[in-house]
Short mmCIF file of all heavy atoms in Angstrom, two decimals:
data_model
loop_
_atom_site.label_atom_id
_atom_site.label_comp_id
_atom_site.label_asym_id
_atom_site.label_seq_id
_atom_site.Cartn_x
_atom_site.Cartn_y
_atom_site.Cartn_z
N ARG T 231 -23.73 27.23 10.01
CA ARG T 231 -22.83 28.19 10.67
C ARG T 231 -21.96 27.43 11.58
O ARG T 231 -22.42 26.76 12.56
CB ARG T 231 -23.55 29.28 11.33
CG ARG T 231 -22.67 30.34 12.01
CD ARG T 231 -23.52 31.47 12.65
NE ARG T 231 -22.68 32.45 13.31
CZ ARG T 231 -23.14 33.49 13.99
NH1 ARG T 231 -24.41 33.65 14.11
NH2 ARG T 231 -22.29 34.32 14.52
N CYS T 232 -20.65 27.58 11.46
CA CYS T 232 -19.69 26.95 12.35
C CYS T 232 -19.05 28.00 13.24
O CYS T 232 -18.59 29.05 12.75
CB CYS T 232 -18.58 26.27 11.59
SG CYS T 232 -17.33 25.39 12.57
N SER T 233 -18.95 27.73 14.51
CA SER T 233 -18.45 28.75 15.46
C SER T 233 -16.97 28.95 15.38
O SER T 233 -16.39 30.00 15.77
CB SER T 233 -18.84 28.37 16.90
OG SER T 233 -18.21 27.11 17.24
N GLN T 234 -16.26 27.94 14.86
CA GLN T 234 -14.76 28.03 14.75
C GLN T 234 -14.30 27.15 13.65
O GLN T 234 -14.76 25.97 13.53
CB GLN T 234 -14.13 27.60 16.04
CG GLN T 234 -12.65 27.73 16.11
CD GLN T 234 -12.00 27.41 17.49
OE1 GLN T 234 -12.78 27.33 18.43
NE2 GLN T 234 -10.75 27.15 17.55
N THR T 235 -13.39 27.60 12.86
CA THR T 235 -12.81 26.80 11.76
C THR T 235 -11.33 26.61 12.00
O THR T 235 -10.64 27.40 12.62
CB THR T 235 -13.02 27.46 10.39
OG1 THR T 235 -12.40 28.81 10.41
CG2 THR T 235 -14.46 27.64 10.04
N GLY T 236 -10.82 25.48 11.45
CA GLY T 236 -9.44 25.19 11.58
C GLY T 236 -8.64 25.84 10.44
O GLY T 236 -9.19 26.40 9.49
N PRO T 237 -7.29 25.72 10.48
CA PRO T 237 -6.46 26.37 9.41
C PRO T 237 -6.69 25.81 8.04
O PRO T 237 -6.36 26.40 7.04
CB PRO T 237 -5.03 26.10 9.89
CG PRO T 237 -5.16 24.92 10.85
CD PRO T 237 -6.50 25.09 11.49
N ASP T 238 -7.20 24.54 7.96
CA ASP T 238 -7.46 23.92 6.68
C ASP T 238 -8.89 24.14 6.15
O ASP T 238 -9.32 23.59 5.15
CB ASP T 238 -7.21 22.38 6.76
CG ASP T 238 -8.06 21.74 7.82
OD1 ASP T 238 -8.89 22.43 8.49
OD2 ASP T 238 -7.89 20.52 8.04
N GLY T 239 -9.66 25.03 6.85
CA GLY T 239 -10.97 25.31 6.40
C GLY T 239 -12.04 24.38 6.98
O GLY T 239 -13.27 24.64 6.79
N SER T 240 -11.69 23.41 7.75
CA SER T 240 -12.64 22.52 8.32
C SER T 240 -13.27 23.12 9.54
O SER T 240 -12.74 24.04 10.20
CB SER T 240 -11.98 21.19 8.68
OG SER T 240 -11.00 21.42 9.75
N CYS T 241 -14.46 22.65 9.89
CA CYS T 241 -15.16 23.09 11.09
C CYS T 241 -14.46 22.46 12.32
O CYS T 241 -14.16 21.29 12.30
CB CYS T 241 -16.60 22.73 11.06
SG CYS T 241 -17.57 23.28 12.52
N ALA T 242 -14.30 23.27 13.34
CA ALA T 242 -13.67 22.75 14.59
C ALA T 242 -14.38 23.37 15.79
O ALA T 242 -13.80 23.76 16.82
CB ALA T 242 -12.16 23.08 14.61
N GLY T 243 -15.70 23.52 15.65
CA GLY T 243 -16.47 24.14 16.71
C GLY T 243 -17.95 23.66 16.66
O GLY T 243 -18.19 22.61 16.03
N ARG T 244 -18.82 24.39 17.18
CA ARG T 244 -20.24 24.04 17.18
C ARG T 244 -20.81 24.34 15.76
O ARG T 244 -20.49 25.38 15.19
CB ARG T 244 -21.02 24.76 18.22
CG ARG T 244 -20.73 24.21 19.64
CD ARG T 244 -21.82 24.69 20.63
NE ARG T 244 -21.67 23.98 21.89
CZ ARG T 244 -22.27 22.84 22.13
NH1 ARG T 244 -23.02 22.25 21.24
NH2 ARG T 244 -22.11 22.25 23.31
N CYS T 245 -21.61 23.45 15.29
CA CYS T 245 -22.22 23.59 13.96
C CYS T 245 -23.74 23.81 14.11
O CYS T 245 -24.42 22.97 14.61
CB CYS T 245 -21.96 22.38 13.09
SG CYS T 245 -22.76 22.34 11.53
N GLU T 246 -24.17 24.97 13.63
CA GLU T 246 -25.59 25.21 13.61
C GLU T 246 -26.14 24.81 12.28
O GLU T 246 -26.22 25.60 11.29
CB GLU T 246 -25.83 26.76 13.85
CG GLU T 246 -25.41 27.21 15.23
CD GLU T 246 -25.67 28.68 15.41
OE1 GLU T 246 -26.32 29.30 14.54
OE2 GLU T 246 -25.20 29.22 16.42
N GLY T 247 -26.31 23.54 12.09
CA GLY T 247 -26.76 22.97 10.80
C GLY T 247 -26.39 21.50 10.80
O GLY T 247 -26.53 20.77 11.81
N THR T 248 -25.96 21.01 9.65
CA THR T 248 -25.60 19.63 9.51
C THR T 248 -24.12 19.43 9.53
O THR T 248 -23.39 20.05 8.75
CB THR T 248 -26.18 19.06 8.15
OG1 THR T 248 -27.56 19.21 8.13
CG2 THR T 248 -25.85 17.62 8.01
N CYS T 249 -23.63 18.55 10.42
CA CYS T 249 -22.20 18.26 10.47
C CYS T 249 -21.94 16.95 9.72
O CYS T 249 -22.65 15.95 9.86
CB CYS T 249 -21.85 18.06 11.94
SG CYS T 249 -20.15 17.49 12.23
N GLU T 250 -20.89 16.98 8.92
CA GLU T 250 -20.44 15.79 8.25
C GLU T 250 -18.96 15.54 8.57
O GLU T 250 -18.10 16.27 8.24
CB GLU T 250 -20.58 15.97 6.69
CG GLU T 250 -20.20 14.76 5.90
CD GLU T 250 -20.35 14.95 4.40
OE1 GLU T 250 -21.13 15.88 3.99
OE2 GLU T 250 -19.78 14.19 3.64
N GLY T 251 -18.78 14.52 9.36
CA GLY T 251 -17.43 14.23 9.90
C GLY T 251 -17.52 13.50 11.19
O GLY T 251 -18.22 12.47 11.33
N GLN T 252 -16.91 14.03 12.24
CA GLN T 252 -17.01 13.44 13.55
C GLN T 252 -17.62 14.47 14.51
O GLN T 252 -17.29 15.69 14.47
CB GLN T 252 -15.61 13.01 14.05
CG GLN T 252 -15.12 11.77 13.43
CD GLN T 252 -13.98 11.14 14.21
OE1 GLN T 252 -13.02 11.80 14.56
NE2 GLN T 252 -14.07 9.82 14.47
N CYS T 253 -18.50 13.97 15.34
CA CYS T 253 -19.09 14.79 16.41
C CYS T 253 -18.46 14.37 17.74
O CYS T 253 -18.55 13.20 18.07
CB CYS T 253 -20.64 14.59 16.41
SG CYS T 253 -21.49 15.53 17.64
N VAL T 254 -17.84 15.34 18.38
CA VAL T 254 -17.15 15.05 19.66
C VAL T 254 -17.87 15.65 20.82
O VAL T 254 -18.12 16.83 20.83
CB VAL T 254 -15.68 15.68 19.53
CG1 VAL T 254 -14.88 15.30 20.79
CG2 VAL T 254 -14.96 15.20 18.31
N VAL T 255 -18.24 14.80 21.74
CA VAL T 255 -18.97 15.21 22.90
C VAL T 255 -18.24 14.72 24.14
O VAL T 255 -17.37 13.83 24.12
CB VAL T 255 -20.47 14.70 22.90
CG1 VAL T 255 -21.15 15.17 21.66
CG2 VAL T 255 -20.43 13.14 22.92
N ARG T 256 -18.54 15.33 25.28
CA ARG T 256 -17.99 14.88 26.58
C ARG T 256 -18.40 13.46 26.85
O ARG T 256 -19.60 13.09 26.72
CB ARG T 256 -18.40 15.80 27.69
CG ARG T 256 -17.65 15.51 28.99
CD ARG T 256 -17.88 16.64 29.99
NE ARG T 256 -17.17 16.37 31.24
CZ ARG T 256 -15.89 16.73 31.38
NH1 ARG T 256 -15.25 17.23 30.37
NH2 ARG T 256 -15.27 16.45 32.50
N ALA T 257 -17.41 12.62 27.20
CA ALA T 257 -17.76 11.24 27.49
C ALA T 257 -18.67 11.06 28.71
O ALA T 257 -18.49 11.75 29.73
CB ALA T 257 -16.46 10.43 27.74
N GLN T 258 -19.67 10.21 28.56
CA GLN T 258 -20.55 9.87 29.69
C GLN T 258 -20.41 8.44 30.03
O GLN T 258 -21.27 7.62 29.77
CB GLN T 258 -22.04 10.18 29.25
CG GLN T 258 -22.28 11.58 28.78
CD GLN T 258 -22.23 12.56 29.94
OE1 GLN T 258 -22.52 12.20 31.11
NE2 GLN T 258 -21.88 13.81 29.69
N ALA T 259 -19.29 8.16 30.63
CA ALA T 259 -18.93 6.76 31.08
C ALA T 259 -18.65 5.84 29.87
O ALA T 259 -17.52 5.50 29.62
CB ALA T 259 -20.00 6.18 31.97
N SER T 260 -19.70 5.49 29.15
CA SER T 260 -19.46 4.55 28.04
C SER T 260 -19.36 5.39 26.75
O SER T 260 -19.85 6.53 26.65
CB SER T 260 -20.62 3.57 27.88
OG SER T 260 -21.80 4.25 27.61
N CYS T 261 -18.73 4.80 25.76
CA CYS T 261 -18.52 5.45 24.43
C CYS T 261 -18.70 4.46 23.32
O CYS T 261 -17.97 3.49 23.21
CB CYS T 261 -17.14 6.11 24.36
SG CYS T 261 -16.74 6.86 22.80
N GLN T 262 -19.67 4.73 22.50
CA GLN T 262 -19.91 3.82 21.36
C GLN T 262 -19.02 4.11 20.15
O GLN T 262 -19.03 3.36 19.18
CB GLN T 262 -21.34 3.86 20.95
CG GLN T 262 -22.34 3.51 22.05
CD GLN T 262 -22.09 2.06 22.58
OE1 GLN T 262 -21.95 1.14 21.81
NE2 GLN T 262 -22.07 1.91 23.87
N GLY T 263 -18.33 5.18 20.20
CA GLY T 263 -17.46 5.60 19.07
C GLY T 263 -15.98 5.47 19.54
O GLY T 263 -15.52 4.50 20.08
N GLU T 264 -15.24 6.49 19.22
CA GLU T 264 -13.77 6.57 19.58
C GLU T 264 -13.61 7.31 20.86
O GLU T 264 -14.07 8.48 21.04
CB GLU T 264 -13.07 7.27 18.46
CG GLU T 264 -11.58 7.54 18.70
CD GLU T 264 -10.96 8.43 17.65
OE1 GLU T 264 -11.14 9.68 17.72
OE2 GLU T 264 -10.31 7.82 16.76
N CYS T 265 -12.98 6.68 21.82
CA CYS T 265 -12.74 7.26 23.12
C CYS T 265 -11.41 8.03 23.03
O CYS T 265 -10.37 7.58 22.60
CB CYS T 265 -12.62 6.22 24.21
SG CYS T 265 -12.30 6.86 25.83
N ARG T 266 -11.45 9.26 23.51
CA ARG T 266 -10.28 10.17 23.61
C ARG T 266 -10.09 10.62 25.05
O ARG T 266 -11.04 11.13 25.65
CB ARG T 266 -10.49 11.36 22.68
CG ARG T 266 -10.79 11.09 21.23
CD ARG T 266 -11.02 12.34 20.45
NE ARG T 266 -11.24 12.09 19.06
CZ ARG T 266 -11.50 13.03 18.12
NH1 ARG T 266 -11.55 14.31 18.49
NH2 ARG T 266 -11.77 12.72 16.86
N GLY T 267 -8.92 10.43 25.55
CA GLY T 267 -8.58 10.98 26.84
C GLY T 267 -8.24 9.89 27.87
O GLY T 267 -7.37 10.02 28.64
N GLY T 268 -8.93 8.76 27.83
CA GLY T 268 -8.55 7.64 28.74
C GLY T 268 -9.64 6.59 28.83
O GLY T 268 -10.85 6.93 28.68
N CYS T 269 -9.21 5.42 29.09
CA CYS T 269 -10.17 4.23 29.24
C CYS T 269 -9.74 3.49 30.48
O CYS T 269 -8.54 3.36 30.85
CB CYS T 269 -10.00 3.34 28.01
SG CYS T 269 -11.12 1.91 28.02
N SER T 270 -10.72 3.02 31.29
CA SER T 270 -10.49 2.41 32.56
C SER T 270 -9.76 1.05 32.36
O SER T 270 -9.25 0.48 33.32
CB SER T 270 -11.79 2.23 33.31
OG SER T 270 -12.66 1.40 32.56
N ILE T 271 -9.79 0.46 31.17
CA ILE T 271 -9.04 -0.74 30.85
C ILE T 271 -8.20 -0.44 29.58
O ILE T 271 -8.15 0.68 29.13
CB ILE T 271 -9.96 -1.93 30.59
CG1 ILE T 271 -10.88 -1.66 29.41
CG2 ILE T 271 -10.76 -2.28 31.86
CD1 ILE T 271 -11.74 -2.88 29.00
N GLU T 272 -7.55 -1.45 29.07
CA GLU T 272 -6.77 -1.21 27.85
C GLU T 272 -7.65 -0.88 26.69
O GLU T 272 -8.74 -1.43 26.50
CB GLU T 272 -5.98 -2.53 27.51
CG GLU T 272 -4.90 -2.91 28.48
CD GLU T 272 -3.69 -1.96 28.40
OE1 GLU T 272 -3.51 -1.30 27.35
OE2 GLU T 272 -2.95 -1.90 29.43
N TYR T 273 -7.22 0.06 25.89
CA TYR T 273 -7.92 0.42 24.68
C TYR T 273 -7.92 -0.79 23.73
O TYR T 273 -7.01 -1.59 23.77
CB TYR T 273 -7.23 1.61 23.96
CG TYR T 273 -7.55 2.99 24.39
CD1 TYR T 273 -6.59 3.76 25.08
CD2 TYR T 273 -8.79 3.51 24.14
CE1 TYR T 273 -6.91 5.03 25.44
CE2 TYR T 273 -9.10 4.80 24.57
CZ TYR T 273 -8.15 5.53 25.23
OH TYR T 273 -8.41 6.82 25.63
N GLU T 274 -8.96 -0.82 22.96
CA GLU T 274 -9.02 -1.83 21.84
C GLU T 274 -8.41 -1.18 20.62
O GLU T 274 -8.87 -0.13 20.12
CB GLU T 274 -10.41 -2.28 21.66
CG GLU T 274 -10.55 -3.39 20.53
CD GLU T 274 -11.95 -3.79 20.32
OE1 GLU T 274 -12.74 -3.73 21.30
OE2 GLU T 274 -12.32 -4.26 19.22
#
Side-chain angles (χ1 to χ4, degrees):
R231 182 179 179 182
C232 180
S233 64
Q234 182 177 346
T235 57
D238 56 3
S240 64
C241 182
R244 286 195 170 274
C245 174
E246 297 179 9
T248 300
C249 174
E250 182 178 342
Q252 285 196 311
C253 182
V254 184
V255 298
R256 186 170 184 82
Q258 301 291 331
S260 64
C261 175
Q262 299 303 312
E264 175 188 79
C265 178
R266 303 177 179 180
C269 181
S270 59
I271 62 174
E272 293 288 338
Y273 277 110
E274 181 179 334

